[in-house]
């Protein structure tokens, strides 16, 4: 059963599906949530893996009419900094929802 699971996860990854490793997914989600600036609300996120590359797309909603771009850039860089040792090939995208 274990080899089938590995093959299944590989096919999902190749197809651009969501990350299948729950431990890594939980680690990423904790970093995303715990570093969210107070003026933003996370709506949802999408985490995928292709080979050794990870893509995190974070959909956020501003709680104020104006938001400083530096705050968004700092948030993105903080996520990358905290995850780069375990996920060296990481791309983070932030989308306003």
């Amino acid at each position: 059963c274990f080899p089938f699971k590995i093959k299944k996860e590989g096919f999902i990854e190749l197809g651009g599906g969501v990350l299948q490793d729950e431990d890594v997914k939980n680690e990423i989600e904790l970093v995303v949530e715990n570093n969210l600036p107070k003026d933003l609300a996370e709506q949802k996120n999408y985490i995928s893996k292709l080979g050794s590359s990870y893509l995190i797309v974070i959909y956020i909603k501003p709680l104020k009419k104006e938001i400083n771009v530096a705050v968004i850039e700092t948030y993105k860089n903080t996520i990358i900094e905290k995850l780069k040792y375990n996920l060296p090939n990481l791309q983070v995208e932030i989308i306003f929802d």
Side-chain angles (χ1 to χ4, degrees), residues 40-91:
L40 302 173
E42 178 190 4
Q43 298 298 303
K44 58 187 169 188
N45 62 48
Y46 170 80
I47 305 167
S48 70
K49 178 178 182 261
L50 181 57
S52 63
S53 298
Y54 289 84
L55 171 65
I56 304 170
V57 180
I58 306 165
Y59 297 88
I60 56 175
K61 182 175 184 174
L63 299 176
K64 294 181 175 181
K65 286 189 177 191
E66 295 180 12
I67 190 76
N68 188 337
V69 174
V71 170
I72 302 298
E73 194 65 31
T74 300
Y75 176 49
K76 179 179 175 179
N77 290 336
T78 300
I79 292 168
I80 292 170
E81 187 65 30
K82 290 186 182 260
L83 294 172
K84 73 179 181 182
Y85 297 105
N86 292 336
L87 311 172
N89 300 316
L90 175 64
Q91 182 178 358

Side-chain angles (χ1 to χ4, degrees), residues 18-19 24 28 34 61 82 97:
V18 296
L19 178 64
V24 174
I28 292 169
N34 290 340
K61 182 175 184 174
K82 290 186 182 260
D97 197 14

